[in-house]
Structure formats: structure tokens, C-alpha cells
Amino acid sequence: MAALNIKKGSSSHSAYDLRDPHAQVESSHTLAVLVDNEAGVLARVIGLFSGRGYNIDSLTVAEVDHKGHRSRITIVTRGSLAVIDQIKAQLGRIVPVHEVHDLTVEGRAVERELALFKVAGTGEKRVEALRLADIFRASVVDSTLESFVFEITGTPEKIDAFADLMRPLGLIDVARTGVAALSRGV
Amino acid sequence: MSRAMTGAKMVVQALKDQGVEVVFGYPGGAVLPIYDEIFQQNDIKHVLVRHEQGAVHMAEGYARSTGKPGVVLVTSGPGATNAVTGLVDALMDSIPLVVFTGQVPTFMIGTDGFQEADTVGITRPCTKHNWLVKDTDKLAETIHQAFHVATSGRPGPVLIDIPKDVQFATGGYTGPKQARTDHYQPKVKGDIEAITKLVDLMETAERPIFYTGGGVINSGPGASQLLRELVDATGFPITSTLMGLGAYPASGKSWLGMLGMHGLYEANLAMHDCDLMINIGARFDDRITGRIADFSPQSKKAHIDIDASSINKVIHVDLPILGDVGHVLEDLLKVWKARGRKVNKPALDAWWGKIAGWKARNCLAYAPSTTTIKPQYALERLEALTKGRDRYITTEVGQHQMWAAQFLSFEAPNRWMTSGGLGTMGYGLPASIGVQVAHPDALVINVAGEASWLMNMQEMGTAVQFRAPVKQFILNNERLGMVRQWQQLLHGERYSQSWSEALPDFVKLAEAFGCKGIQCSDPAKLDDAIQEMLDYDGPVIFDCLVEKHENCFPMIPSGKPHNEMILGDAETEGAIGAKGAVLV
């Protein structure tokens, strides 16, 4: 089963053979869920998380195969390994869900997020914001005499770091897309 | 070639093509076109219920006693919301249902129209899957897919919401063979490597036990047959959950009785002390496990289940086998036989010796009475007087349900219909009607408590109308018995709201419904009264006035492990600690 990160139909070993089942240490996992793009499918996934008390740190969804009506939902969640395995198994049994991948355990993955930052200020602060934006390779997508809107792409950590730097410089609004992720290599 | 027809006609055509014989339902504005089509045909029987919840429980009774999906048809808004309890009940107990709901026309959806409810939104977590069909061309295919999803893999209820304009519009009909079902194909064959590993464990186990559940019943009669063969050939003891009763016959030599909170002492102690637990189609429910940390501490655990999310959900298992019970048991038997049918005979003999010691405790013993009918006695007599008959039992929820599971014996699968997971009071009466509709000539008895029974008593009208000769065997203690028992054990005997005040006269009630009423309060007259019920050719409401304060034992108090069962009233003092008190 893809949901359990073991070969489909194989049950000779479970993920539990590999790890301590009683480990209560919470860790963050990025799950890629491929679903039929049909009405209500996102509600099913979100309902599963709220109904069973799981966490969602970030969630993105968009159609990725127009002809095949497939959407990709990327969820960043946290929990003990037992909980993460249960989340994957529960996702796997939703009828329109085709595949569940745990990008955190299935080898290395690229994770990116896009964010827009509105920073208001004049004088020295405005110059400093622009200088830092340059260091972070953020681009200016809107500008007035009192404000900038920066666009930045990167890992969630990079965007957090940029937000920390912008806050004292007049950060007034943030919009983030949530994480999109793909495994590296083929 | 697809044939053109209206959406309403498609529903009826698709039901015929799916082999459906009976629909349980209730008409209303948003399903009138479908009811018009039902009027104009004779292939599908429609059972008119009195309340939509009753329709769903009837369909559950039908499904559980036949292995076929139950079909329900109700209207929009309140029709759909009334069906919700039944949907969750079927979801928890893995019962295949296909429920059709009417919906306001597509152009009115979202306007808070008359009898509009967001049915797919409300029922999304209450169903295995659901659909809102907005295009008549897609309706037939969706219905066929719905039957496929309801019955494949772990069965469950599905719902199709059909707006009224979609029922009126004409579209192309897709037959069952043309409908695409390929994307939902749960794996049924278990991994042979894992099965072989289980055989390894079985060959050397010193204290093995089979722990079976509703998954065996759901897998079909073939699975029960294979289970019997396996159990009898290995000589391993077997216990079952409430849901799995009948898969292995109660008269079988390896039968320990039901396990769990009100299970038998020998079954629970064997679970606690075993060194190999083979879970077949059960799910380590909290009624079974008691305190997780002390659950069967010395055993290796194997778990055969078709649902990956059931494995390692509650209890960590050493050997998961993902697949259908029937398929896995077939392979398991094959491998075990091919390797010479080995078991650890000397150890097994010693294990049975230990079990015999537990059995000698006679955990179901109760204080008999010559003046009052003890509920256990009533069930013993019901058992004795129906012995050997092909008998179908449904129950409501509470003490009577547990006593029925303890004192009635089940020799075949699909003969025992009870609300296990959800614990729905009001389940038994409609379920018994659904069973009787499926088996018109069989003896169908609903073992009930008076409080549960009142919750859906309107369905007696359905029983009378459709000449379903269901026997309502009500153990009337004028109490919410299980609630009262917990209040006695947990809440200082403060019996808050747990008595049945102003009960109807059940005999007069029976007469008012146009069926037979019998009342009995004298143990000496009980046999004759039960015989009168069994002999009567029609529905009966049997008001059996029983001891009011009987407690249901044995009992594993909440938060306690299997080996801390209490066997009788004398042991109840302080049985449940503060931690256990927060559990249900």
C-alpha cells in the first residue's frame, strides 16, 4: 500500500518493523495526495483531518492534470510516527484518492512556497527593506511611495526568516501559498 | 449503445440491473419522479416505512442477513437528515447500503429552498462515499459505481443525492458492465510471505487464540466455512467480537464465547494470557481491548484486515496481513496443510487445561428466582424454545443486547444483527423488519429493552402493513438498564433520569397497531407465553416484565485490563477508578 509506504499488496512488513512504534516524538511530514478533481474531494480530506483530530500546518491544492481530472494536494502535517502512518492509511481509503506519498520518508524532496509581503515605510527603513529583499532574491511586484509588495519563493524556513526581518521594517500584510513539493530525481 | 430515458427511470432501471429486489423508503417532494416510476413497475418491491431512520436500519437488517447491499430511497432535507443515524451505524459496522436522497433542483441549490439541506456535506463523514449528481447522463454510471463502492473492500454505506430536475431530464443510460469501476479495486489477496510467517507462528505457538470479528461475516459464507475448517483442524481456541457471532458455531468444540467488556471470563482471560493472537477481521475496538497498555502483554499479534487503516490504529501488531478474510484464510489453510498440519500439541493441551479452569468459574451464573423473571432466564428459555430452528436475532442496545450475546447461541453467520460500533438504540425493531422482508418464512426475533424499543416503535406499523411476523421480545425492566448499572457503579447510585416513566401498556399498544400483544411476569408461565409468541402467525409485541435491578456481568470496568474482570455484584465496590470514570 502506498498509504503505508510499503509495496501494494505486500504485508510482510509494516513500517512499524522499521521504527519504534511507541515513539511519541512528533515530527513534520509533507504528504502528496493525488486525487480525482471532483466536487467535495478537498472537503473529504480536510474533514478527515478535523474529524480525527490531526494537524494541518499547510495545505495547497490545484489541478495538475486537466485531461485526467487529477489534482495534487500537498499537506504538511505533524504527529508521532504512529499518527502519521494512521493519517496516510486514512487518506488512502478515501475513494477518490489515488496515491498517498510521504515525501518526508520517501527519499529527498524539493519543497517550495510562494509569499507576498506588503511592507510600508519611508526613509532608511524603506531602503533597508529593499536591500534585504535583494539578498533574499525577492522581487518587487508593486510599489508606491510609502510601500512595497515583495514576491518571494523558497522553503518555508526562508520565508519565515524573511518575515522576521521585514517585521521591524514595516511589514503590514502577508499572503503565503503553502507548500508545494516534489520528490527529487526519478 | 446507451438508451435514452429520464433520470427517474434510470434509478429504477439501474436497481433492476443491480439485482435489487426491495427498496426501503419514504416519499416526498424531491423524489416524486422516482416514486412515479416505482408505481409503474412490479419488479422492485417498495417497503413504506414510518420514519427514514427506520428505512436505513431495515436496509441494514436486510443487508446483514443476506450479504447483499440494502437500498434506501428518501426525500431531500428532513428525509436525508433523518437517515443520518442509520448511515453512521452502517459505517461503523461496515454494512453495505446504497441510499438515494432527493434534492431540490440544481438551479435552487444554495438558495435555502424548501426542504433543502446540504446532504452530501452532512453525510460526507457518515458514508464511505457520496455523490451529488448534477447531470442525468452521469446518473446511471454513478449508481453502478455506488453499488461497487458499497460492496467492495471494507463494505459501507454510500449515498447518491439526485436533484429533482436531474430526475425529470432525459439522458443516456449506462449499463452496469459499461460503468467504470476500475479505479476503486481494493486488494483482496494477502501477501503470501506474511501468511507463511503466520503459519510459522501457528506451528510453534503454545497458547494461541483466534480473535474474530465482523470482517469474517462480511467476507461471505465461504469465509465462515474456511474459518471453521481452520479452527477445527488446528484445535486452537476461538473467541469473537459482538459483530462476529455465528461465523464459528457456538456448538463448536473450540468456542470460548464472546470476548470484550461483557464477554466471557474464559475468552477474556485467554486473550490476556495467549502467546499468539490471530485477529481475523476485527478491529481492536475499545470494548475489546480494555486498558491498552495491559492488553494481552505476552502475545505476538497477527491481524488480517482488508482496511489498512485498521492495522496498527489502536494496537501495534507484529504481523499485519492486508487482504480479504476469505482469500487470506484460503491461502493460510493451503500453506499450513502443505507444511504438514503442524501444531504444538503438548503445549496446546496444557493451554486447553488452563482454559478449562477459567470455564469452571461459570461466569454467566446468576441468582435464579421463582418469583421474578430474571432477564438471563428469559433468554435461556427463548434459546431453549427456539433451539434447532433457523432463527434470526436482532437487538436494540443496552443490557439486553449483552445478555442476548451471552445467552443465545449462533450456529451460522448472518443470523445476528446488532448495532455494535455506534450502539444505536432503536436499531432492533426496524432491523428485524428488514430481516423478515429478506426471509419471509424465517423466525425473526428482536430482543429489546423497553426504552430502546420505544425509540422506533412507529415501525410496528410497517411490520403490520407488510405482514412481517417479527417477534418483539422486550425485556422490560422499566429502566435504562445499562445507564442505571453505570450510575450504580460509578455515580454513587444516583439514578439520574434512568427510569422509564409513563410506559405504554404494550399489550394495548400491540392491539392499537393491529398485532398481538403478550405480557408475562411469572417465571412459571414464561415458557407457555414464549411458545404462544412463536406460534402466532403475525407480528407480536411481547412485554416480558423482568427484574428491575439486574446487572450485566461479567464486566471489564472501564480502564481495566482483561484480567481484572468483575464477575458479580459482590466485586463492584470501587471497581472503576477515577481514570476509568471518564471513559464510556
Side-chain angles (χ1 to χ4, degrees), chain B residues 347-517:
Chain B
L348 204 52
D349 288 343
W351 178 225
W352 273 110
K354 204 166 178 192
I355 290 170
W358 293 324
K359 274 192 174 170
R361 289 292 295 268
N362 190 18
C363 68
L364 294 182
Y366 60 93
S369 163
T370 51
T371 51
T372 0
I373 299 176
K374 288 292 184 112
Q376 301 95 324
Y377 177 73
L379 288 165
E380 279 179 340
R381 295 319 302 157
L382 185 70
E383 169 74 8
L385 293 166
T386 57
K387 195 100 197 153
R389 292 183 65 169
D390 192 14
R391 176 193 70 180
Y392 293 79
I393 302 287
T394 67
T395 76
E396 305 287 345
V397 168
Q399 284 183 322
H400 68 273
Q401 178 189 28
M402 293 298 108
W403 280 316
Q406 292 171 344
F407 287 89
L408 302 180
S409 48
F410 298 92
E411 297 296 319
N414 305 106
R415 300 298 191 280
W416 165 247
M417 278 59 54
T418 191
S419 172
L422 193 63
T424 309
M425 292 171 73
Y427 170 88
L429 164 52
S432 71
I433 297 169
V435 175
Q436 191 82 73
V437 167
H439 310 276
D441 300 321
L443 171 61
V444 182
I445 304 170
N446 174 32
V447 175
E450 84 289 346
S452 281
W453 193 84
L454 289 174
M455 281 202 179
N456 269 325
M457 69 166 190
Q458 75 285 346
E459 300 305 333
M460 272 321 279
T462 309
V464 172
Q465 180 184 344
F466 291 90
R467 298 198 167 80
V470 290
K471 315 301 182 203
Q472 303 301 316
F473 192 67
I474 302 173
L475 299 174
N476 182 355
N477 59 3
E478 300 173 15
R479 301 286 183 279
L480 311 186
M482 194 60 95
V483 172
R484 191 207 55 75
Q485 176 169 345
W486 279 59
Q487 288 173 336
Q488 181 189 338
L489 299 181
L490 263 173
H491 293 276
E493 301 182 39
R494 291 180 295 279
Y495 298 120
S496 180
Q497 307 297 321
S498 59
W499 68 92
S500 301
E501 196 73 74
L503 282 173
D505 177 329
F506 285 98
V507 175
K508 280 190 182 151
L509 187 66
E511 284 162 12
F513 272 115
C515 61
K516 185 178 180 65

Side-chain angles (χ1 to χ4, degrees), chain B residues 292-304:
Chain B
I292 301 276
D294 297 309
F295 176 71
S296 193
Q298 303 147 37
S299 62
K300 284 242 179 221
K301 298 173 187 74
H303 186 181
I304 303 168

Side-chain angles (χ1 to χ4, degrees), chain A residues 128-158:
Chain A
E128 182 63 10
L130 202 57
R131 207 176 59 78
L132 285 167
D134 193 41
I135 293 169
F136 275 75
R137 296 177 204 278
S139 48
V140 178
V141 291
D142 177 69
S143 174
T144 67
L145 291 173
E146 297 91 30
S147 72
F148 288 119
V149 174
F150 296 115
E151 175 195 311
I152 180 169
T153 310
T155 63
E157 293 74 26
K158 176 181 167 185

Side-chain angles (χ1 to χ4, degrees), chain A residues 1 11 16 43-44 86 93, chain B residues 124 130 191 307 312 320 322:
Chain A
M1 284 293 290
S11 44
Y16 281 93
R44 280 178 216 287
Q86 185 59 210
R93 83 188 185 133
Chain B
R124 202 172 282 128
N130 62 12
D191 178 53
D307 179 359
N312 288 331
L322 204 60

